[in-house]
Amino acid sequence: NTIRWINNNSNGERKIESIKKIKDDKHYYYLYNTSLTAFVIPKTAFKSSDELSNFIKLFRQHSTINN
């Protein structure tokens, strides 16, 4: 299980197990792979709140974190 990303500057993938914690605020999800670095995912990247909820649910099912 991996996280894949593509943006204007780079692309790549990481194992889901590399994510240490998940945090969020009003606009973003932060998937921390170290205490100082995170993948930042805009909540607007999802078509609906159900799609966003399903992503987080699936992510947590396939990771080793509990938050």
Side-chain angles (χ1 to χ4, degrees):
N1 295 326
T2 59
I3 299 169
R4 293 187 181 116
W5 72 90
I6 300 171
N7 64 38
N8 293 338
N9 300 318
S10 67
N11 64 67
E13 66 181 36
R14 293 267 193 255
K15 292 184 182 259
I16 288 178
E17 294 84 14
S18 72
I19 302 303
K20 308 299 183 208
K21 68 179 174 179
I22 299 174
K23 297 287 184 179
D24 74 308
D25 62 22
K26 186 176 179 179
H27 301 287
Y28 300 97
Y29 266 97
Y30 304 90
L31 308 178
Y32 285 88
N33 60 333
T34 74
S35 61
L36 299 175
T37 61
F39 296 98
V40 180
I41 303 174
K43 292 181 177 181
T44 57
F46 299 90
K47 294 178 184 175
S48 68
S49 59
D50 286 340
E51 187 177 77
L52 173 60
S53 296
N54 287 336
F55 169 77
I56 296 301
K57 180 179 173 183
L58 285 170
F59 184 86
R60 289 185 177 180
Q61 286 175 350
H62 294 285
S63 73
T64 58
I65 58 177
N66 293 320
N67 63 349

